[in-house]
Amino acid sequence: MSYANLPPELLAKPSKPWITRILGSLLLLGLLSWWLGPRLISYTQSLVAKHYADQAAEHINQKEWLPAYEAIEKARSWRAQHPRVLRVLSDFLIATGGDPASILHHLRLIELNGQITEEDLLKVGQIYVQMQDVAGIHSTLEKISPESRARRPALELLANSLRLQGRLSLAEQTLRHALSLDKNDTMCQLRLALMDIQATFTEIRDRARLSLWQIAKGKDKAALQAIDSLASDRKLTLAESDLLLQCIEDHPNKTEVARLQVLSSYLHNRPEKKKEILAQEVEHMKQLSSDSLLPHLYWLLQERQPQLIVEFRPK
């Protein structure tokens, strides 16, 4: 075959083959962006939302409410329906005493995402108790496994449901059974004792009172509540008054309100020490800031000492 008669443009070699490669690459990139773009955007949004949600969870653990709220808002701006965001938001609302209806709404969203746990369902049931929704409590209990329904938290929900229906005797029996399942839990012991302290029979009341004293010697939240209950008992002996005052003084988490209430009970049995105790408390008040004085001023009024309030001069 002779090339002599062919036009020159057909005999010339292709010029700039790199242009073809660039155009092909751009076409391929465009196709990939069209196919993978939405997925990539969704993945990025989820990643950033989870990052801020994890930050919020840390703030919630530290009880830093404002930074937690700000982190949650950032997470929601990226992907509000992300399961981790919904989880942290519901935890935040529960921890800060949020609106029950709002908490319930977000727990339902978690359930729709298939991320609901039995612990979440128990929270849902507790919200229905607050709302006095018996049907809601029953529907929630039906979603819990039979094993969990036989444990204390679910039995407490059942007891509350019975109470709302007016079946008070069965409700009390169910609650007693639930609390007895955790005999080593001091809060359960406390609740049983507080139920028995109202009993008709003296033997039951005495046993409950002994239980309260055993709990009061502890260092936990139940101990503070037991001390508070015993402080209102006008039948305390002199020795018991001394012991109760020692219990509150030794408690690492005592509040001034709790301490002053016990002090009032102590003075009821030790009136001869009232002048001395009042003088000590007034001196103690002089070391406090103005913002911390309210419980003490109220206590002086309870002790019928308005003159001490008039004469008191804060620092």
Side-chain angles (χ1 to χ4, degrees), residues 50-83:
K50 183 178 181 300
H51 168 72
Y52 284 120
D54 290 340
Q55 281 188 356
E58 288 295 325
H59 290 307
I60 292 172
N61 290 334
Q62 299 298 324
K63 297 184 178 180
E64 299 168 348
W65 307 125
L66 181 57
Y69 171 78
E70 292 173 345
I72 289 172
E73 286 301 300
K74 290 178 182 178
R76 295 183 69 198
S77 69
W78 283 92
R79 193 163 188 180
Q81 301 303 313
H82 191 282

Side-chain angles (χ1 to χ4, degrees), residues 15 42-43 46 71-72 83 85 97 125 159 169 196 221 233 242 255 270 296 309-310 315:
S15 61
S42 177
Y43 175 77
S46 297
I72 289 172
V85 177
S169 178
D196 288 340
K221 184 178 179 181
D233 185 356
D242 294 342
T255 64
R270 299 283 191 181
H296 301 80
I309 297 177
V310 174
K315 67 176 184 178

Side-chain angles (χ1 to χ4, degrees), residues 122 141 148-162 171 174-175 177-179 181:
L122 290 171
L141 287 172
S148 295
R149 284 202 296 270
R151 299 191 184 106
R152 177 173 62 85
L155 286 173
E156 286 197 49
L157 286 181
L158 178 58
N160 278 309
S161 171
L162 293 168
T174 304
L175 180 57
H177 173 61
L179 296 175
L181 294 177

Side-chain angles (χ1 to χ4, degrees), residues 164-185:
L164 291 172
Q165 295 175 69
R167 303 166 68 181
L168 302 183
S169 178
L170 184 56
E172 181 179 346
Q173 293 176 21
T174 304
L175 180 57
R176 285 183 179 278
H177 173 61
L179 296 175
S180 67
L181 294 177
D182 288 335
K183 293 182 179 180
N184 295 326
D185 187 299

Side-chain angles (χ1 to χ4, degrees), residues 16-33:
K16 301 180 181 179
W18 54 271
I19 294 180
T20 304
R21 289 195 291 270
I22 290 176
L23 292 175
S25 299
L26 291 174
L27 178 61
L28 180 61
L29 183 61
L31 290 173
L32 288 174
S33 298

Side-chain angles (χ1 to χ4, degrees), residues 112-168:
L112 289 174
N113 282 328
Q115 303 291 324
I116 197 82
T117 65
E118 289 198 339
E119 184 179 356
D120 294 327
L121 289 172
L122 290 171
K123 292 176 183 176
V124 170
Q126 290 163 5
I127 292 172
Y128 281 132
V129 170
Q130 295 178 43
M131 299 170 67
Q132 301 186 2
D133 186 342
V134 174
I137 298 172
H138 287 173
S139 66
T140 302
L141 287 172
E142 289 174 357
K143 298 175 183 177
I144 297 174
S145 67
E147 295 81 6
S148 295
R149 284 202 296 270
R151 299 191 184 106
R152 177 173 62 85
L155 286 173
E156 286 197 49
L157 286 181
L158 178 58
N160 278 309
S161 171
L162 293 168
R163 176 180 56 80
L164 291 172
Q165 295 175 69
R167 303 166 68 181
L168 302 183

